[in-house]
């Protein structure tokens, strides 16, 4: 203990190399010892500036530095308030820090374009909505608005609308009721939306699952009309009125009966058989096969079988009739009969929607749609190959080139393309006011394809892409003029361009053990299908970029004439 006490002053002296001699000579405190390396040594005088506590912030202004006092503020500042050095005229020449270009929102464009532009902007940069007068002073009923939005999105997605257009419609509904800080999210089978009132409030989220999808373009047009009325500032639709109109849309029956759809399937198959070189007898045989396949698919659907088996069952009767005519040695082009039957089954609508979702950045939904198309196609392959295999085993001599051996007949083929588009429009349950326009659009598409392929001797893929681009351009122009969806004007018009013959030749080659030729034809069919989808989407984007049809004044005048 004595040795430790003798060494204690030495350790204190070694702890600070700059201790003054007077401090070293000072007597040590008997009650405590210094243990921190940052403590002030004993005997070192530190000047005191005052009785206030010592400043510990690294951002404090040093003593002695003169700083001009800030100007008086009107109120408490905010991190989201505009800086004092901000100049609106100079800000238009710069892009935001995230790198997204500044988006200008015009008021004379359809609501689809305005909502789509705002969805692509960050939440903090979206313009504030106009004050809606569709709720009382307490504000909108957020859960009910989100529920209405999800129900509208469900009808659009189930009707075959693209994911981006569904999100734009959902955002338009929320914004029309004053909910601007909302984020819709659409996938293949799930709809979700979240709303955050402010930075300090808890977000409200809701979701809905779409389990069944059926094409009904009459219902789709009615839903678009409802969204158009909600997004118009001069049309005051309350929340209760919107629910009532939505319930009426859901209760409305299809415009065409089941037997009308069966007859339309027969007309479509017969017209498709004429497009590939068939005659009157081929027309009748293809129509009968397609109608039998349609009723068989209805029977499978009534028993609760999945759509895969429905497509498989629907593909068998046309193939069986073609094989039966070949075994009977009838002077009929069996390949044209089977090709016509396949036209009614090819999932062109789902293919166009899938490619459109992929081109607009919805890759998950696009992958799901294309996978659905693949399953449908495999179902068609299974049904046709089953019949063709037994036909080949029975001695049926199916010649692939028989369907396209004749010379082109422009007048008959144009009439067949018009009939095919008409039947396709009926199958899609389109409203009667749009059937004539989409029928003419399909005829124009076939004229463009025939002029390029038969007259100009251009490749069928390039000819199909250009014809599909014309279809997409015309459909988008009509949709923008009428402030409606473009699907009723484009989907049925691409019917004459679907790769029915290439699909059949590929299946026939596989059935006859000619794998190379079969895969070549199937690859051509895939290329034609992709050309259709890309052409339709490109035509739509061109019309959005360079053409403006309709304005807000024309739309309001039209609404006043309709009594809104």
């Amino acid at each position: 203990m004595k040795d430790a006490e003798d060494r204690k002053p030495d350790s204190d002296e070694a702890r600070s190399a700059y201790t003054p001699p007077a401090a070293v000579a000072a007597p040590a405190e008997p009650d405590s010892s210094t243990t921190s390396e940052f403590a002030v040594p004993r005997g070192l005088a530190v000047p005191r500036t005052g009785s206030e506590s010592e400043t510990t912030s690294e951002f404090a202004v040093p003593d002695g530095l003169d700083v001009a006092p800030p100007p008086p503020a009107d109120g408490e500042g905010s991190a989201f308030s505009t800086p004092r050095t901000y100049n609106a005229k100079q800000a238009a020449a710069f892009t935001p820090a995230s790198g997204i270009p500044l988006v200008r929102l015009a008021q004379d464009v359809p609501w689809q374009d305005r909502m789509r532009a705002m969805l692509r902007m960050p939440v903090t940069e979206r313009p504030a909505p106009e004050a809606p007068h569709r709720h009382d002073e307490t504000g909108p009923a957020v859960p009910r608005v989100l529920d209405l939005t999800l129900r509208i999105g469900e009808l659009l997605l189930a009707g075959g609308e693209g994911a981006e257009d569904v999100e734009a419609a959902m955002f338009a509904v929320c914004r029309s009721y004053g909910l601007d800080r909302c984020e819709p999210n659409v996938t293949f089978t799930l709809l979700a939306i979240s709303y955050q009132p402010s930075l300090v409030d808890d977000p409200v989220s809701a979701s809905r699952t779409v389990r069944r999808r059926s094409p009904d373009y009459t219902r789709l047009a009615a839903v678009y009309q409802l969204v158009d009325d909600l997004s118009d500032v001069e049309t005051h639709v309350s929340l209760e009125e919107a629910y009532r109109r939505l319930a009426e849309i859901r209760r409305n029956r299809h415009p065409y009966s089941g037997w009308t759809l069966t007859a339309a399937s027969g007309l479509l198959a017969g017209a498709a058989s004429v497009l590939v070189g068939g005659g009157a007898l081929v027309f009748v045989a293809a129509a009968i096969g397609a109608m039998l396949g349609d009723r068989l698919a209805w029977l499978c659907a009534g028993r609760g079988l999945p759509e895969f088996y429905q497509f498989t069952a629907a593909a068998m009767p046309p193939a069986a009739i073609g094989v039966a005519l070949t075994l009977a040695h009838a002077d009929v082009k069996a390949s044209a009969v089977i090709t016509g039957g396949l036209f009614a089954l090819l999932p062109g609508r789902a293919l166009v929607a899938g490619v459109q979702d992929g081109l607009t950045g919805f890759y998950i939904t696009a992958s799901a749609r294309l996978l659905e198309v693949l399953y449908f196609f495999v179902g068609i392959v299974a049904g046709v190959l089953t019949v063709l295999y037994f036909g080949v085993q029975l001695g049926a001599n199916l010649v692939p080139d028989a369907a396209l051996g004749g010379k082109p007949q422009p007048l008959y083929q144009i009439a067949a393309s018009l009939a095919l588009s008409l039947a396709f429009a009926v199958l899609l349950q389109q409203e009667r006011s749009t059937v004539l326009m989409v029928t003419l659009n399909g005829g124009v598409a076939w004229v463009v394809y025939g002029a390029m392929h038969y007259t100009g001797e251009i490749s069928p893929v390039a000819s199909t892409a250009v014809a599909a681009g014309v279809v997409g351009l015309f459909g988008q122009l009509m949709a923008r003029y009428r402030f409606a969806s473009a699907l009723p004007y484009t989907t049925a018009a691409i019917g004459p361009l679907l790769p029915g013959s290439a699909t059949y030749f590929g299946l026939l080659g596989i059935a006859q053990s000619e794998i190379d030729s079969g895969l070549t034809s199937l690859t051509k069919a895939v290329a034609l299908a992709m050309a259709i989808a890309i052409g339709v989407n490109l035509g739509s984007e061109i019309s959005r970029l360079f053409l403006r049809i309709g304005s807000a004044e024309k739309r309001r005048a039209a609404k006043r004439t309709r009594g809104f």
Side-chain angles (χ1 to χ4, degrees), residues 22-46:
V24 175
E29 295 289 339
D31 55 347
S32 62
S33 60
T34 304
T35 58
S36 175
E37 297 181 357
F38 300 96
V40 179
R42 296 186 180 89
L44 181 61
V46 179

Side-chain angles (χ1 to χ4, degrees), residues 441 444-445 448 464-477 490 535-536 539:
N441 196 12
V444 171
V448 173
T464 301
V466 174
V470 173
V471 169
L473 179 62
F474 179 78
Q476 189 62 229
L477 293 180
T490 57
V536 170

Side-chain angles (χ1 to χ4, degrees), residues 454-471:
Y454 295 112
T455 305
E457 297 182 354
I458 302 176
S459 66
V461 176
S463 303
T464 301
V466 174
V470 173
V471 169

Side-chain angles (χ1 to χ4, degrees), residues 237-470:
V237 181
S238 63
L239 193 59
E240 299 297 333
E241 177 68 16
Y243 264 105
R244 185 189 62 80
R245 291 180 56 179
L246 186 62
E248 292 180 354
I249 293 173
R250 296 179 67 93
R251 284 196 303 263
N252 285 342
R253 295 183 177 180
H254 300 299
Y256 309 104
S257 61
W259 286 103
T260 304
L261 299 180
T262 301
S265 299
L267 178 61
L268 190 150
S273 65
V274 174
L275 285 179
V276 294
L281 185 57
V282 172
F283 179 92
V284 174
I288 294 175
M291 287 189 291
L292 290 177
D294 182 77
R295 299 316 300 179
L296 187 59
W298 276 90
L299 181 61
C300 295
R303 296 296 185 270
L305 292 177
E307 288 184 300
F308 176 85
Y309 301 105
Q310 297 176 25
F311 275 82
T312 303
M316 288 183 176
I321 291 179
V323 171
L325 292 175
T326 303
L327 293 176
H329 302 286
D331 189 14
V332 177
K333 296 178 180 179
S335 299
V337 175
I338 301 176
T339 299
L342 293 181
F343 259 84
L345 301 177
L346 293 178
R349 172 186 57 87
L351 176 65
V352 172
V355 175
Q356 180 182 0
D357 289 338
L359 294 176
T360 53
F362 293 83
Y363 300 113
I364 297 178
T365 306
S367 302
R369 289 186 188 272
L370 295 178
L371 186 61
E372 181 188 36
V373 172
L374 178 62
Y375 271 97
F376 290 164
F377 190 77
V378 171
I380 298 172
V381 169
V384 175
L385 280 183
T386 301
V387 177
L388 292 181
Y389 176 78
F390 286 105
V392 172
Q393 296 299 321
L394 293 175
N397 186 16
L398 298 173
V399 182
D401 297 332
L404 300 179
K407 295 182 180 180
Q409 300 176 348
L411 296 180
Y412 288 104
Q413 290 178 339
I414 292 175
S417 65
L418 293 174
L420 194 152
S421 299
L422 173 63
F424 209 167
V426 173
L427 288 175
L428 293 175
Q429 300 283 355
Q430 291 192 198
E431 54 184 351
R432 294 177 174 85
S433 60
T434 62
V435 171
L436 178 60
M437 299 304 300
V438 73
T439 301
L440 295 177
N441 196 12
V444 171
W446 181 259
V447 169
V448 173
Y449 172 80
M452 295 183 63
H453 179 58
Y454 295 112
T455 305
E457 297 182 354
I458 302 176
S459 66
V461 176
S463 303
T464 301
V466 174
V470 173

